[in-house]
Each structure stands twice: as C-alpha cells, then as structure tokens.
Amino acid sequence: ALGQIAAWGLGAALFATLFTAVTPAIRRGFEDLPTGREAAERFEFDLTSDAGIISALLFLVLPLVLCLFAATLTTVVAGQEQSGRLELELAYPVRRRSYYLLRTTAAFVAIAVAAALAATAFLVTAFLMDLHLNWERAIFASLLLALPPWIVVAFGYAIAGWRPRLVTGVVAGALAASFFFDLLAPALDLPGPLRKLSIFQLYGQPLVDGVRWVDATVMLALIVAFLGAGALAFGRRDILK
C-alpha cells in the first residue's frame, strides 16, 4: 500500500514540477500563436498568464491523475471479496460499518498524501520560478485537489457496498464521462447548472477564479452522501452476493 501511494504521489509530484517549470516557455510560445489562444478560449482557458496556463493544463490533469489513483483504490475491496480475504477479515469481532469507514478513511489518507506531494511540488517550483500567481488562490487550489478523488473513492466504495462486481466498470465509466463532460461543456455552450454534473467542473479553476464555496460544499456533501449510502449497503449485504 505504501508503495502504491509513493508511486502515485511521486509521479504526480514529478509531473507538477516539470509542468510548472516550463510554464513560462509555454506562455511565451502562445504569445506567438494567436490562433492557439483563440482555440483555447473556446474551452474557457486563459493561456496568456502563468496562472491561466497552470489552471488550464496542470490543474486539469492533476485532479484526473488523483481520481485515477482513487479509482484503483476502489477496486481493492471488490478484489478482496472475490479472493475470499474480505470474508476472513470480517470473521473477527468487528462491526461491518466500522470496518467500512476504516477502509474508506485509509483511502482518503492515501489520496491526501499523494495530493500533498503534488501540491508541494507545484508550490515550491512556482516559488523558485518566481511565477506570477495569487498565492492565496494557489494554496486553496492545492488544498482542494483532494476533493474530486475523495468523491471517486466514496462513490466507488458505495458501489462496492452494493454490488462489488460492478465497481471497476461503473467507476471507470463515471470518471471518464465526468472528465470529458467538463472538457467539452464550454465548447457545447451548456448552461452553468448542467455543467455541475461533472466533479471536475465542481472543482473549477480556483487558481484563476478563487474558491467557489458553494461548489466546494456540494463536493463535501457528495462525499458524505456516498459514504452513508455505502456504509448502509455494506452493513446489510451478504458477502460474495
């Protein structure tokens, strides 16, 4: 487990470091490509500033990477149940819902560690490169990185508590749909409320726009709702059924 956290966390940190370091070069490159800037503006990306480039590219990919890590964590319970290990663990005197919440908490901690590594790499590199950023927004954007993958974990564990065999397909499909919906929504000119169906849209662009506290509250509410539904289903369901 520690190896998996280290691999994902250090990989995300390396990506954040490299991308942040080349941000000035990307900005200068787009200064000479007005057609490229216009195309990016159709997707509501601002590629004329350091903050806009990092928000449009780095903070588009980092939440996705962390969500992919979260998706791999959700398949663990299903795999353990298929192998019979989960049944053995629950043979000990432990309440099912307590076990469920313990497992989800462990997954949340793993994601928080990976997100912290990536965020630290971004902030340190941006400081050393003397990028023009609003540092308060940069810190909040970093702190909010964990929320989308926490939603994925809570959703995946809720599915696992109901039908573990469906976890991989449902989580992968929902994650892909959410990401591409967020990416294409501006070009499709979809109304704002409809765009909120994507967890990536709920995360938004806090580095540029600041924190949208209503959307952050919605993300927290989704986490709590999925956790409650999953704990209820896991507590009632027969293992291996």
Side-chain angles (χ1 to χ4, degrees), residues 24-75:
I26 296 175
R27 174 171 46 78
R28 290 191 295 269
F30 273 101
E31 288 175 354
D32 301 326
L33 291 173
T35 55
R37 292 200 308 271
E38 292 174 1
E41 288 173 357
R42 293 187 58 193
F43 292 91
E44 298 182 354
F45 293 151
D46 173 21
L47 301 182
T48 61
S49 66
D50 292 338
I53 291 171
I54 292 174
S55 180
L57 301 178
L58 177 62
F59 278 88
L60 175 70
V61 176
L62 270 185
L64 176 62
V65 170
L66 293 172
C67 283
L68 290 173
F69 177 34
T72 64
L73 295 176
T74 63
T75 63

Side-chain angles (χ1 to χ4, degrees), residues 1-8:
L2 291 178
Q4 189 179 23
I5 297 172
W8 282 92

Side-chain angles (χ1 to χ4, degrees), residues 19-166:
F19 188 91
T20 306
V22 301
T23 294
I26 296 175
R27 174 171 46 78
R28 290 191 295 269
F30 273 101
E31 288 175 354
D32 301 326
L33 291 173
T35 55
R37 292 200 308 271
E38 292 174 1
E41 288 173 357
R42 293 187 58 193
F43 292 91
E44 298 182 354
F45 293 151
D46 173 21
L47 301 182
T48 61
S49 66
D50 292 338
I53 291 171
I54 292 174
S55 180
L57 301 178
L58 177 62
F59 278 88
L60 175 70
V61 176
L62 270 185
L64 176 62
V65 170
L66 293 172
C67 283
L68 290 173
F69 177 34
T72 64
L73 295 176
T74 63
T75 63
V76 172
V77 171
Q80 288 181 336
E81 181 165 346
Q82 295 302 313
S83 66
R85 180 179 174 184
L86 182 59
E87 188 175 10
L88 290 176
E89 291 184 358
L90 291 177
Y92 290 93
V94 58
R95 296 179 61 184
R96 280 194 176 196
R97 290 175 185 174
S98 297
Y99 176 85
Y100 175 87
L101 293 176
L102 181 64
R103 293 300 300 268
T104 54
T105 300
F108 285 168
V109 171
I111 290 169
V113 171
L117 290 172
T120 300
F122 154 65
L123 292 171
V124 170
T125 306
F127 178 78
L128 294 177
M129 295 293 297
D130 194 25
L131 299 185
H132 299 289
L133 301 176
N134 181 312
W135 289 101
E136 180 181 353
R137 291 181 177 180
I139 291 172
F140 273 113
S142 300
L143 291 174
L144 292 175
L145 273 175
L147 290 186
W150 280 356
I151 293 175
V152 173
V153 162
F155 174 70
Y157 273 52
I159 298 298
W162 175 55
R163 289 290 186 274
R165 293 179 179 85
L166 301 179

